Amino acid sequence: MNSTNRRLNFRLTTSKVFEYVIALFAFIITIPLFAIIFYVLKTGLSKLSWHFITNIPKPVGELGGGIANALLGSLLIVLVAAIIAVPIGILCGVYLSENKNSKLAYWSRLAVDVMQGTPSIVIGIVIYFWIVKPSGSFSALSGSIALAIMMLPIVIRSTEETLKLLPETLKEAGYALGLPYHKVIFRVIIPNGVSGILSGVMLAIARVAGETAPLLFTAFGNPYVNANILRPMQSLPLLIFNYATSPYDEWHDLAWGASLILLIWVLLLNITTKLITRRWKVQS
Amino acid sequence: MAVGNCINNRLYKVVSKLFSIHKIRTEAAFKRFLVVIALAMMVIAIAIFITLVIHSIPSFKTLGAGFFWGRTWDPVSDVYGALPFLLGTLLTSFIALIISVPFSYAIAIYLGEYKTKGWLSGLLKNIVELVAAVPSVIYGFWALVVLVPIVRSIETKVGAPPYGVGILSASLILAIMIIPYAASLGRELIRLVPSALKEGAYSLGATRLEVLRHVILPKTRSGLFAGLLLSLGRALGETMAVTMVIGNTSALPNSIFSPANTMASVIANEFTEADRTVYLSALIELGLVLFVVTVVINIIGKLIIKQFSNE
């Protein structure tokens, strides 16, 4: 009797101990995240000022200077990427959710998986040969196209997943009123799935806003302010990469300030997306 | 009056017919347009592959299969051997994977089984998502300034040459970056285990740990493996953070402390400097290998998940 009890106690204790070990290991991930956020805040916060976001970097040895060129560049490159990727992505998502079992949908889905699995640096190489080389110069537009290819899978997937959840009766009601197919899509289906689609779009933007690798051989970088998308353009991640790997302390400071701005941008997008999906959840 | 009515009627008919034809035409055009867009995705994916193959041809021709076994990479004297980079990529990715597994599975089990609701698990879930959201260039910068000195002091203690930058630093930062992928997939799959199965085991007197070991893990094994594949695919293709802390040396690495280069990092560093056809082509062939390997790994992972969720 006593030995059975002891055996039972042993089993219960190991179970409990294991639960604590799992909890411990699970929460260790918070340490690097907070360490990074804390470090970026500590080093970047002192740099932030109006001067910092309205001036371009100064040459080595001079104090001050800002990241206006990179900030403007990042906004423009990501905006153009979104203009390219969002309509195509949503329409492709519509096709996939409307034609779930067609052969084309199967292969198209596979193609989207291939795009999603492609390393970002490889997309940079490919766009170099598609756009940069034929046009003869690095350009922000080629960078935007590279980022658009990275955004597509995210937008397509989230659109498809959202629209799948909408009840068939919604569409039937539209048809019963005599609406043509495209109006059913644009007036009934897409507005009803807008929160899911929007959150996919914002996640995609957050994802590509921090991408550096596809821009190395496309947007290339530019030490001056430039708003022409057919010319090389600086972006926040490119600036961080170039200045962080340089040996100069002034440039490291600039890179930390830029890191803080980029981090705030990306985290805010992620948090807003969460709030949107929580507020307007699609009812299945 | 009657004549007027008749004309009105006929006019009405013609107009409405025109309109409905117009309607049907736009409808058909819209449907065709959707097909074209779905086709365009296939075209892009195939075109990526073809572009890489075409531009790798000079390298195939001059270097052949020896490219993969060559131990020296010296563009100045026109010698291109990719072995150091293949080894660098494999070492960093697999070390990162091994380091990340206990943590990602712990998160998956904790969120999927122990605490599926409540603010604490909500917090952890959000933290894991934020880890995936931080840009890789910021990971790289942080690793360069904070992690590399720590690794350097470890190297001094164990008597290795104190570079700081190298395979170990790259693997550590990669490990942090890939945890969310296996963790969030594992969590969802563990949640899918039918509660009837678990209750059956509990009613036989099993403890929580025993249910986990003998019911949940066997049931989710293939799915957890798929999560590992997705993490691995991410690690293989990761460029910036690795480039910043791996030391960028084209020599064959001889220990986990030595500086090295991965396929992705050598492309990032040398692509715009490559001034000869063979040099550029060799870099693109590396890109082709990277593309094929990560895509195959990703697709196998997704197939496993699909099979798993169909069961």
Side-chain angles (χ1 to χ4, degrees):
Chain A
M1 192 61 209
N2 211 354
S3 85
T4 345
N5 254 344
R6 224 182 300 150
R7 173 91 190 120
L8 183 63
N9 268 338
F10 173 74
R11 283 169 57 211
L12 286 173
T13 324
T14 11
S15 177
K16 206 73 205 160
V17 168
F18 186 75
E19 195 174 331
Y20 287 129
V21 171
I22 285 287
L24 179 74
F25 269 75
F27 276 93
I28 283 179
I29 185 84
T30 49
I31 298 173
L33 181 71
F34 284 131
I36 289 169
I37 293 178
F38 172 74
Y39 200 88
V40 173
L41 273 177
K42 195 186 84 182
T43 44
L45 214 51
S46 61
K47 289 298 298 175
L48 286 195
S49 64
W50 185 244
H51 177 85
F52 184 70
I53 56 172
T54 52
N55 279 272
I56 63 170
K58 292 235 171 92
V60 177
E62 283 180 51
L63 280 176
I67 55 161
N69 54 344
L71 199 57
L72 179 72
S74 257
L75 288 171
L76 270 177
I77 291 174
V78 172
L79 181 75
V80 175
I83 291 172
I84 300 169
V86 169
I88 299 177
I90 291 177
L91 287 177
C92 187
V94 167
Y95 178 85
L96 292 181
S97 75
E98 289 288 305
N99 305 273
K100 287 185 191 74
N101 301 316
S102 78
K103 215 163 215 168
L104 177 59
Y106 174 82
W107 290 106
S108 191
R109 252 181 229 123
L110 189 68
V112 172
D113 282 345
V114 168
M115 266 192 260
Q116 189 154 37
T118 308
S120 53
I121 186 99
V122 171
I123 293 181
I125 294 179
V126 169
I127 298 297
Y128 176 83
F129 285 110
W130 287 357
I131 319 270
V132 176
K133 220 169 169 210
S135 75
S137 91
F138 296 108
S139 65
L141 181 64
S142 59
S144 296
I145 294 173
L147 294 188
I149 291 185
M150 300 198 66
M151 288 175 76
L152 277 174
I154 310 175
V155 178
I156 292 172
R157 280 290 168 194
S158 64
T159 308
E160 188 193 354
E161 298 297 322
T162 314
L163 299 189
K164 254 190 205 164
L165 295 178
L166 294 178
E168 197 69 12
T169 43
L170 259 181
K171 240 178 8 185
E172 285 163 7
Y175 289 138
L177 291 172
L179 284 180
Y181 185 66
H182 55 278
K183 282 204 176 148
V184 172
I185 297 293
F186 286 120
R187 298 275 172 85
V188 180
I189 298 296
I190 291 180
N192 268 292
V194 76
S195 73
I197 296 172
L198 197 65
S199 75
V201 168
M202 288 176 58
L203 274 186
I205 290 176
R207 172 96 181 74
V208 299
E211 274 297 338
T212 322
L215 298 181
L216 285 171
F217 329 131
T218 53
F220 195 68
N222 188 338
Y224 303 104
V225 172
N226 165 36
N228 180 352
I229 59 167
L230 298 178
R231 305 209 34 86
M233 205 183 269
Q234 187 65 292
S235 84
L236 284 173
L238 275 178
L239 179 137
I240 297 169
F241 174 61
N242 287 330
Y243 286 8
T245 47
S246 78
Y248 312 111
D249 281 343
E250 297 96 331
W251 281 9
H252 280 192
D253 283 348
L254 276 182
W256 281 120
S259 298
L260 179 59
I261 292 180
L262 184 61
L263 195 63
I264 292 172
W265 181 3
V266 169
L267 294 189
L268 269 185
L269 271 173
N270 270 280
I271 292 164
T272 335
T273 313
K274 264 214 187 93
L275 294 178
I276 289 179
T277 36
R278 193 172 298 167
R279 220 143 142 214
W280 297 303
K281 219 167 192 167
V282 174
Q283 304 289 324
S284 53
Chain B
M1 197 56 198
V3 175
N5 239 346
C6 188
I7 290 175
N8 265 351
N9 259 343
R10 284 182 70 181
L11 197 68
Y12 173 76
K13 267 185 190 156
V14 169
V15 168
S16 69
K17 205 170 183 183
L18 274 178
F19 263 110
S20 65
I21 285 174
H22 175 72
K23 235 184 196 174
I24 289 166
R25 278 207 183 130
T26 17
E27 218 176 51
F30 180 69
K31 278 188 179 162
R32 267 200 301 275
F33 186 59
L34 287 185
V35 171
V36 169
I37 283 187
L39 275 172
M41 297 305 123
M42 289 166 61
V43 172
I44 294 176
I46 294 168
I48 290 175
F49 179 68
I50 290 177
T51 308
L52 291 171
V53 170
I54 287 176
H55 291 281
S56 302
I57 285 173
S59 162
F60 290 145
K61 274 191 183 148
T62 36
L63 306 171
F67 179 64
F68 298 107
W69 308 118
R71 301 160 135 265
T72 353
W73 176 272
D74 185 6
V76 179
S77 40
D78 240 357
V79 180
Y80 307 98
L83 191 62
F85 313 132
L86 295 178
L87 211 58
T89 298
L90 288 178
L91 277 174
T92 48
S93 301
F94 277 98
I95 295 173
L97 198 61
I98 291 167
I99 298 173
S100 76
V101 163
F103 302 102
S104 52
Y105 280 4
I107 295 169
I109 293 170
Y110 186 81
L111 292 179
E113 172 63 18
Y114 286 141
K115 292 271 188 311
T116 48
K117 289 197 185 82
W119 67 272
L120 199 61
S121 61
L123 182 74
L124 182 61
K125 195 171 149 267
N126 285 332
I127 284 172
V128 172
E129 278 167 25
L130 289 187
V131 170
V134 172
S136 68
V137 71
I138 292 181
Y139 277 116
F141 197 7
W142 179 79
L144 194 60
V145 176
V146 178
L147 202 59
V148 165
I150 297 174
V151 170
R152 193 175 294 139
S153 67
I154 294 173
E155 285 172 347
T156 327
K157 273 199 193 112
V158 299
Y163 293 109
V165 291
I167 289 178
L168 184 61
S169 297
S171 306
L172 284 172
I173 196 69
L174 263 181
I176 299 172
M177 296 171 71
I178 63 177
I179 284 175
Y181 295 86
S184 54
L185 183 67
R187 164 185 154 265
E188 293 193 358
L189 297 179
I190 288 176
R191 270 192 173 175
L192 284 180
V193 175
S195 50
L197 277 182
K198 289 187 264 180
E199 282 156 13
Y202 282 128
S203 70
L204 291 173
T207 63
R208 230 171 169 182
L209 174 60
E210 286 157 358
V211 171
L212 198 66
R213 270 184 57 194
H214 301 297
V215 179
I216 296 175
L217 288 188
K219 187 84 184 142
T220 49
R221 190 171 291 140
S222 65
L224 291 178
F225 178 69
L228 277 192
L229 285 183
L230 293 190
S231 281
L232 180 64
R234 177 95 180 107
L236 290 171
E238 174 49 46
T239 313
M240 297 327 290
V242 173
T243 307
M244 291 167 88
V245 295
I246 198 155
N248 300 316
T249 313
S250 299
L252 210 59
N254 50 20
S255 83
I256 59 163
F257 295 114
S258 55
N261 239 336
T262 65
M263 292 192 271
S265 74
V266 75
I267 297 171
N269 280 317
E270 301 185 9
F271 189 82
T272 45
E273 295 166 10
D275 44 3
R276 265 157 300 158
T277 322
V278 182
Y279 188 8
L280 192 65
S281 177
L283 289 174
I284 295 161
E285 193 176 343
L286 287 177
L288 178 65
V289 174
L290 204 56
F291 173 76
V292 172
V293 171
T294 50
V295 164
V296 167
I297 285 180
N298 263 295
I299 286 177
I300 293 175
K302 290 212 167 127
L303 285 179
I304 296 175
I305 297 167
K306 212 179 194 178
Q307 206 172 15
F308 184 88
S309 43
N310 283 348
E311 263 170 25

